[in-house]
Amino acid sequence: MSATTRTLADLKDLAVSQVVAAATDAPKREPKRDQFGRSYATGRRKNAQARVWIKPGKGEIQVNGKKVGQYFARPVLRMLITQPFLVADRYNQFDVYCTVKGGGLSGQAGALRHGISRALTLYEPELRSILKIAGFLTRDSRAVERKKYGRAKARRSFQFSKR
């Protein structure tokens, strides 16, 4: 037990060395692109599904045929969508065309972020470790709990009355 890590800096160095070791041990992945030079991926969040195509371009994002600012009016949702590009240092280098359906706007933005991250890893496989550490490749499986019999909502009981 004498070789235990004691400080936060030691843990950081250990994590960096593990990432470097994992990157050198991992098999080399080939980029997956169609005949138009695009990569396709599907992203999911809550009940929303996003089908995403990316290709090199000026950074334009189209969602269901509309510009991203028109479809997602809230700045927080637009920031959520651009996070994979910012983390991978590829901001305004890819055009995104996507279709989203199901759920609400927040779930659709999360699904779009997931789909963009997966499409980026298919277009440039060396970005996988960066996006994996940031947590963008993991599907957020949280969903609304179903309503149960004998309950007002999923967990809420009806009001109790003694008389």
Side-chain angles (χ1 to χ4, degrees):
M1 291 310 262
S2 62
T4 59
T5 55
R6 300 203 184 272
T7 66
L8 191 58
D10 294 339
L11 288 173
K12 190 181 234 181
D13 294 338
L14 182 65
V16 168
S17 65
Q18 286 177 347
V19 168
V20 170
T24 57
D25 294 344
K28 296 294 180 192
R29 297 176 189 264
E30 292 294 320
K32 291 185 180 177
R33 300 176 190 150
D34 64 6
Q35 66 267 23
F36 303 110
R38 303 176 302 185
S39 286
Y40 167 79
T42 304
R44 294 181 187 88
R45 170 79 172 98
K46 293 187 178 178
N47 284 334
Q49 299 165 349
R51 300 176 349 167
V52 180
W53 290 268
I54 65 166
K55 65 177 183 178
K58 300 175 185 172
E60 297 174 1
I61 302 175
Q62 266 198 342
V63 183
N64 291 352
K66 299 179 183 177
K67 293 197 181 275
V68 70
Q70 190 179 4
Y71 192 85
F72 294 108
R74 296 191 344 225
V76 174
L77 299 179
R78 290 196 302 268
M79 178 206 63
L80 195 74
I81 292 166
T82 57
Q83 280 179 338
F85 295 120
L86 294 172
V87 168
D89 200 27
R90 301 287 188 272
Y91 191 65
N92 286 340
Q93 294 182 16
F94 287 96
D95 287 343
V96 178
Y97 176 78
C98 65
T99 58
V100 291
K101 61 181 179 180
L105 286 177
S106 177
Q108 288 180 352
L112 187 51
R113 181 179 81 166
H114 186 227
I116 288 172
S117 303
R118 290 175 72 177
L120 270 175
T121 60
L122 292 175
Y123 195 88
E124 291 186 50
E126 58 271 6
L127 295 178
R128 182 173 171 80
S129 60
I130 297 166
L131 294 170
K132 184 81 171 166
I133 290 170
F136 296 153
L137 296 178
T138 307
R139 190 238 196 261
D140 192 352
S141 61
R142 294 177 295 170
V144 178
E145 191 174 344
R146 76 171 192 87
K147 183 193 178 303
K148 276 83 172 182
Y149 172 75
R151 298 269 176 175
K153 293 166 62 174
R155 297 188 180 200
R156 176 153 175 18
S157 301
F158 294 111
Q159 183 173 350
F160 175 76
S161 174
K162 193 177 271 189
R163 292 179 186 69

